[in-house]
Amino acid sequence: MRNLQLLEVKRVVDNASLNGCQHITVDTDTGTLYTAGPTSLCAVDFQSGEVVNTVCLTDEDFLPADGTGCVVGVQYLADQQGVCVAASNGNLLIWSVGTGQIECVGSVESGFTAMAWSPDLEVLVLATGDETLLMMTREFDPITEISQHPQDKGEAAFVTVGWGKKETQFHGSEGKAAAQEKARTYSSATSWDDQCPRISWRGDGQFFVVSSISPQTGGRQLHVWTRDCSHHSSSEPVDGLEQPLAWRTSGSLVACSQMRPNKHDVVFFEKNGLRHGEFTLPFPVNKVKVREVLWNMESTVLAVWCEEMCSDFLNQHPEQHLPVSYVQLWAVNNYHWYLKQSLQFPAAQRVLDVQWDPEHGYRMHIMCSGAQYLQYTWSWVTCHSLGKSEDDLATVTVIDGDKVLVTPMRQMVVPPPLSAYQLELPAPASQVTFGPTGLSNDIAVMLSDERLAVFHLQEAKDASDAGVKVGAAGGTGFSVQCRRHSLQGVYSIDYTSEIVTFPLHIHHLTWISPDCFLFCGLDTGNTHSILYRAQLATDKLTIRSSLHVENLVHRIAVSMETPSVAVQLCDGTVLQYLTDVDSLLPWNLESGQDLQLPHACSQMSVCLIGGEEVVLGLTDRYRFYVNDKEIASNCTSYAVHDEFLLLTTLSHTCRCISRHTKVRDLPSLSDGKAHPFDESIRRVERGSRIVTVVAEDTKLVLQMPRGNLEVIHPRALVLSAVRKYLDRLQYKDAFLAMRKHRINMNLMYDHDPKMFCDHIQVFVSQVEAVNHLNLFLTDLQEEDVTVTMYTAAYNRHPQPDSQVTSKVDTVCDHVREALTHLDRDKYLLTILTSYVRRSKPDLEAALTLVKSLREKRKEEVSVTAEETLKYLLFLVDVNELYDVALGSYDFDLVLMVAEKSQKDPKEYIPFLNKLRRMEDNYRRFAIDQHLRHFRKALKHIAGCGEDKFQECLTFVDEHKLYGDALKLFAPGTSQFKQLATLYGNYLCEKNRSDEAGVMYIKAEEWELALEAFTACNNWRQMFCLTVKLGYSSEKEAEIARQCARQLQSMKNFNDAAVVFERYAKDVEEAIVCLIEGALWEEAMRMMHQHRRTDFIETNLKTALLECHEQHLESLEEYRDNFVKYKKRLGVVREQREKQKLEILDGDVPCNNMDSDLFSDTSSATGVSFQSSQYSYNSQRSTVISRRTGHSSKSRKKGDKQRWSLKEGSQYEDCALIDALAKIITAVDNMKEEVNSLMKALVQFHYDAQALSLHQQLDSFLTLIDKSVPCIWLDESPQDAPLVLGPNMTSNAIAQAMQQNSSSNTREQKDPVLVAPPKRRKDVRWKLHIAHNVEDH
């Protein structure tokens, strides 16, 4: 659904040099046009219009001076920097354009009638006057010469398999007369045929076709030849076949023209000579003759060059005939041929030669009489309305000769070649433009005869117009489904000054205001464009002003959001046309610079992006620009939506870019990797292009390469529309869009929870339908879809879970409340759904609602109880619903559910009958026990009285409901005491004797309580119970001795001493216990309290000296191990560093995955590149934990088990650090003990011993402080730039790469390897008196 729009036109006029030109060829590298006249060759620079060189062919007798000879073909040869010329007298010439010399490279006596070079310019085929084909190499060496009329049928000739004779075959409605062979006669060539052969090559150069006069029939026939000049196939004789011939550049079709008695066709042949379709030219019979047909380089456009035929009088006097010429551009889509452009040249400017550019696919060179050369450059564009409101119908127009096919895409999508309706025009259309803001549905059509037809959209569907023909929109007995246009008028252009006129000299038609148009033309110098501003009058389009532009205008675009008009020149410069002052100024960017696009763009638009007015441009090479920034290099089409910028790419995707994005962020947005939940990208069919996007809607129309249309709804557009609906409280529109496009219904609430809850009545009244409300409720989830599923559209971040109530519960409750107030009976099913969809389904309330319906008559309710129950069973599992009904203790409800289920009545009816016969509390107990509602069952069995209490005890013990059972009975009752005793027994079994003792006390079981407290050594509770039980002092002392011995064995010397002293009345044992526990001060206190100071000499001093010796030995052992481990750690680190350097230098291969050099941040080479000097493979442990599910604590424990102090082991360095840490911790914990011991030693005059212990510990702690920085190195990652060079090895590069990215990927190591253990600096263990002794 695209049209050919004229981008640029260039014109060169030189009366002397270009007059009488017959053939042209182009040098695209230098922009030079070479022409061949009757007797001369000419070179013209069509950029400047100057004649570069001219040579005469008669000066050196290359052509006869009498004018009998002519040039039959020219071809520019880029590699030879020359022009190959074939003359009718048989001379083959090369004109060197650099030196201007002409060389004759060959000659044929019979002369030449046609010449054609292969597309690769390697092979030359010449048709001679002897009706032969001469094939030559690029060096003009003959390859072969063969007759133009082959005798055989060729390699692709059809083979008859001999399936019977024609006389014996069935001939259908033709009858038996068809079996008689009739000799068919073929007419000769047309009278205007020049009788000369035509040669055309296929695009790949493997075949060429020759059209020549057949000696047998006198008419034209096609012969297909291979590259080596072997005959491939011939066409069947065709009446009326004319001289034009063109093989499609990429394809298998050969185009010709055929004159029939009632029409004039362009026909196509396949490579095997068979016919393959045609289309009819829009001329009366015998009105025109076709001079040539030409395919463009991309095989998308077929040019047909026609000339008006002369009358009988002029046939007798041809010198008086000045025919009108036509050049028509045809394109095919969906098997329909469209006339896209029609150029009519008057007799004074009749066409002499037409050529497509060999490089630019849509550039055409035309040589006209009057020494005029024209160069047209077209581009494909989609003509659609540009309105951004809901009133715009997204109308798309397609030019087809004197018809414009119109389809309003908002209302209907009609695939080509059909359309909703078509506008009938008085002449072929050349350009279509749509109205400005407010009139975006109106259409203006520029006709090929330079008139302007304006169509206005009618308000009523049934309004008709004679110039509008209804197509797929209805008609012929069917109602018309859309509004149509009506012709407002056809206006001729009123020029106020002399202008340059030629076909399509008016281009870039733009409608900028209700009665004002802009268009371009050429100045008289043919080098610059003139921008005209014209205004509609009664029947004229009057030019009000004109502006001379500094270059040729390439595109004009008008903004529908602002009054801006952008004018792009052919060099990419963008100017801004100011409508109010009628002037052109440079387009300024926000940076203050003038805008110039990097390349000239064939498509251009103006819109707002990120609040900035920008120019969008798309080149023919798929480069898409926003201002001067390249956004995509593979863009095939684009469209501007009111919220998004939409692109299709060569990677077969459609991308939606928000127009709220800042312009500076667009390149990274386009090139960046898509988010996993990014809704802005979707796959489309290969080759899809955007036709239009409907404003204020979600519809995007795409056209496939074969021509059919597809409508998609990009998720980004859908979400944008849904957000707008929700913000406007248009809940019904939002719901229907979400339902149609499968948007998660949670968005209805998550978009704005507060607004939804505040307007729940609006939501319910708009959505209204029960099924729709049920669909909404059943789709509810707890997650916030704006931060999960649609995070790219909302860009929200997860909020901390601060909700007290469930989201689903909140919505269900609000909806149920609104429905209850609105119409409870109508929305009964939705109310049921709100109960069921709660986070904890309230099935009991739902069943109660169902039960209430059974009590009403059918006339009183809209939905019966049976229907309601059936719907409820659709939402809930029947077994679950049966259990809920049973839990309500309502047997009528249970039977109602059971009847709708698949349960066997033989199973549930006896069960229900059994329950009916039970006492009420016990029945409820049995039901709850059956449903495994044990706590509810306990309440009911507790109310059954003394008869069932034993069963209650068994039930409590079986289900471990001791705490719940105790709450059901009053303290002090026999039931309470039995339950407490049962609970105590259970706690004893679980080795919770302390808690069991408390339960026994509540049960007043004092002996059992004493046993429980004795088991857990709770001596305080024990002696409370001995008093409670009234034990004698002897028995209490015996119990005290046993308890104290147990406490003493548990190293609880202080409590053991108290028990010995107070309850066993054994002071000696108490003092000995304190001395054994090194509680020196408490021991001395008790000695003096009980006047037993004799223990000082007998026990205390000896224990002090022994303890002193033990501490010295421990410190010495710790010190020796500390020094040894520290020294070994240094050796291990030095060895590791040396080995790593060897690997990085490449001296040692690193291919052993069990090497001790591997650590938790191993790189691709397998080497540890951490800055630490030890290795810890936490990566492996991480892998193991993922496989086994072990926790981090278990993983670290497993790692430590692999640490070994054995020399040379894999994790020796880790084991050494761990051992050093344990020594530091142990020495730090000795501070309090040493302090207490030193004070006791000094008190009893053992000052020397105290001083030695003080010095030993002090020096050791000093050594530890100095050694810690050497053991635990600083491992904070340093951010250093990545520096690589030619001297880096592969391992060193891997190290640098790993260190550059390791800061974010480090595994968590064991804390003991990261930092030293904490040392308590605030503990005052040193003695001042010891310092004084040391000083003396």
Side-chain angles (χ1 to χ4, degrees), residues 688-721:
S688 300
R689 293 177 184 268
I690 295 176
V691 175
T692 188
V693 59
V694 182
E696 294 289 339
D697 202 343
T698 64
K699 187 186 297 183
L700 176 65
V701 184
L702 302 175
Q703 186 169 27
M704 306 303 108
R706 57 186 176 273
N708 61 307
L709 301 181
E710 287 188 6
V711 177
I712 65 173
H713 298 266
R715 189 54 59 96
L717 269 63
V718 174
L719 291 175
S720 174

Side-chain angles (χ1 to χ4, degrees), residues 340-391:
K340 291 300 183 182
Q341 291 288 343
S342 181
L343 288 71
Q344 181 175 342
F345 295 82
Q349 299 178 0
R350 71 186 184 90
V351 177
L352 300 178
D353 195 13
V354 179
Q355 292 291 333
W356 283 105
D357 193 272
E359 290 191 3
H360 195 294
Y362 298 100
R363 179 168 293 162
M364 175 175 282
H365 307 274
I366 301 178
M367 182 59 65
C368 305
S369 61
Q372 178 177 243
Y373 160 75
L374 296 171
Q375 182 193 100
Y376 294 95
T377 303
W378 281 280
S379 177
W380 288 112
V381 296
T382 302
C383 297
H384 58 84
S385 57
L386 302 176
K388 301 302 178 186
S389 65
E390 293 182 352
D391 296 331

Side-chain angles (χ1 to χ4, degrees), residues 540-722:
K540 299 284 186 180
L541 183 64
T542 306
I543 295 179
R544 298 300 185 188
S545 64
S546 62
L547 290 175
H548 287 262
V549 188
E550 60 187 12
N551 207 331
L552 294 177
V553 173
H554 195 73
R555 286 286 293 168
I556 298 178
V558 60
S559 173
M560 300 299 288
E561 300 164 331
T562 64
S564 299
V565 178
V567 179
Q568 180 195 172
L569 306 185
C570 61
D571 61 354
T573 302
V574 179
L575 306 176
Q576 184 175 11
Y577 177 76
L578 303 179
T579 57
D580 50 349
V581 296
D582 192 26
S583 63
L584 284 172
L585 295 177
W587 187 286
N588 291 324
L589 302 176
E590 284 192 345
S591 60
Q593 298 178 346
D594 295 343
L595 173 60
Q596 181 168 8
L597 298 173
H599 299 280
C601 296
S602 58
Q603 298 181 45
M604 187 176 71
S605 302
V606 181
C607 70
L608 295 175
I609 294 183
E612 176 185 354
E613 189 170 34
V614 298
V615 175
L616 311 178
L618 177 63
T619 69
D620 291 332
R621 298 293 182 181
Y622 311 117
R623 295 185 178 275
F624 180 70
Y625 298 98
V626 174
N627 287 340
D628 54 354
K629 291 185 178 181
E630 182 176 322
I631 305 303
S633 60
N634 63 346
C635 177
T636 57
S637 63
Y638 75 93
V640 181
H641 186 257
D642 47 297
E643 289 286 337
F644 291 92
L645 180 62
L646 295 99
L647 313 175
T648 57
T649 66
L650 292 174
S651 56
H652 324 306
T653 59
C654 177
R655 175 141 202 161
C656 306
I657 300 176
S658 174
R659 288 177 57 190
H660 300 292
T661 308
K662 295 296 182 182
V663 176
R664 62 176 178 270
D665 299 332
L666 288 177
S668 60
L669 183 66
S670 177
D671 298 335
K673 183 179 179 181
H675 190 277
F677 297 105
D678 194 353
E679 300 286 359
S680 66
I681 299 179
R682 64 163 289 167
R683 301 286 295 177
V684 294
E685 187 175 335
R686 179 186 298 270
S688 300
R689 293 177 184 268
I690 295 176
V691 175
T692 188
V693 59
V694 182
E696 294 289 339
D697 202 343
T698 64
K699 187 186 297 183
L700 176 65
V701 184
L702 302 175
Q703 186 169 27
M704 306 303 108
R706 57 186 176 273
N708 61 307
L709 301 181
E710 287 188 6
V711 177
I712 65 173
H713 298 266
R715 189 54 59 96
L717 269 63
V718 174
L719 291 175
S720 174
V722 169

Side-chain angles (χ1 to χ4, degrees), residues 828-1013:
L828 189 62
L829 297 181
T830 307
I831 294 174
L832 279 177
T833 308
S834 68
Y835 283 123
V836 174
R837 285 296 299 142
R838 289 179 58 85
S839 55
K840 292 183 179 179
D842 193 355
L843 299 180
E844 188 171 349
L847 282 174
T848 304
L849 186 60
V850 174
K851 182 183 177 183
S852 65
L853 294 176
R854 298 192 68 181
E855 301 171 357
K856 298 181 180 180
R857 294 181 300 176
K858 291 184 178 181
E859 295 79 8
E860 298 177 356
V861 294
S862 59
V863 184
T864 62
E866 288 73 16
E867 294 173 343
T868 307
L869 184 59
K870 185 177 181 181
Y871 173 75
L872 192 59
L873 290 173
F874 171 75
L875 298 176
V876 186
D877 180 65
V878 63
N879 295 319
E880 182 181 358
L881 196 62
Y882 175 82
D883 291 343
V884 171
L886 188 61
S888 67
Y889 317 117
D890 188 334
F891 289 102
D892 293 337
L893 199 58
V894 174
L895 287 173
M896 184 176 65
V897 175
E899 290 173 356
K900 297 294 181 180
S901 69
Q902 301 296 323
K903 290 181 176 294
D904 188 358
K906 295 181 179 178
E907 295 180 0
Y908 66 82
I909 288 183
F911 173 70
L912 295 179
N913 290 334
K914 179 181 177 182
L915 291 175
R916 288 178 186 273
R917 292 191 292 268
M918 296 180 181
E919 185 265 335
D920 186 55
N921 277 334
Y922 193 71
R923 181 193 308 122
R924 297 193 175 195
F925 163 73
I927 291 174
D928 289 330
Q929 187 180 25
H930 173 76
L931 298 176
R932 304 188 65 82
H933 299 164
F934 298 126
R935 283 183 170 79
K936 291 178 65 178
L938 177 61
K939 294 179 181 179
H940 295 304
I941 191 67
C944 290
E946 289 292 336
D947 297 341
K948 302 293 183 180
F949 184 71
Q950 195 60 40
E951 185 176 354
C952 178
L953 288 176
T954 305
F955 182 78
V956 169
D957 191 42
E958 179 182 356
H959 299 289
K960 307 298 184 288
L961 299 174
Y962 307 103
D964 297 283
L966 288 174
K967 297 175 184 178
L968 299 176
F969 296 94
T973 61
S974 61
Q975 293 92 340
F976 183 88
K977 293 179 180 180
Q978 292 181 58
L979 287 170
T981 303
L982 193 63
Y983 195 6
N985 296 338
Y986 170 74
L987 292 173
C988 285
E989 293 175 3
K990 294 297 182 181
N991 203 20
R992 294 179 173 270
S993 302
D994 202 7
E995 299 178 47
V998 175
M999 280 295 110
Y1000 287 137
I1001 291 175
K1002 293 169 69 84
E1004 299 180 5
E1005 295 289 343
W1006 315 116
E1007 293 287 347
L1008 294 176
L1010 180 60
E1011 293 177 5
F1013 288 128

Side-chain angles (χ1 to χ4, degrees), residues 397-432:
T397 58
V398 180
I399 294 176
D400 187 9
D402 58 358
K403 300 185 294 294
V404 174
L405 312 182
V406 182
T407 301
M409 294 295 180
R410 181 182 292 274
Q411 297 174 333
M412 60 184 65
V413 178
V414 182
L418 301 176
S419 63
Y421 54 92
Q422 59 189 27
L423 309 179
E424 305 285 348
L425 302 172
S430 62
Q431 187 178 350
V432 178

